Amino acid sequence: MAIAGFVHSTSPAQVTRNHDGWIIAGYALLAAIALAALYVASGGPGNDPAALATMVAMP
């Protein structure tokens, strides 16, 4: 019956880890990769500004 008397000394807020910074960094990296891909794709022949606007609006 020793298990029934076990009390946690830490609160759930202390046990959970804070990963918000890594998540935001991941989204920023994904956005940078998408912008780099858009920049490379827009440099091809035959791409006018209207096509570039369409590429930005509809990925």
Side-chain angles (χ1 to χ4, degrees):
M1 296 299 154
I3 297 174
F6 183 74
V7 177
H8 291 287
S9 62
T10 59
S11 68
Q14 293 173 341
V15 176
T16 58
R17 294 186 178 141
N18 187 4
H19 296 294
D20 292 344
W22 286 107
I23 293 170
I24 292 171
Y27 278 120
L29 182 64
L30 181 66
I33 291 171
L35 285 175
L38 182 65
Y39 176 75
V40 171
S42 68
N47 286 338
D48 57 348
L52 180 62
T54 304
M55 284 188 274
V56 171
M58 296 181 219

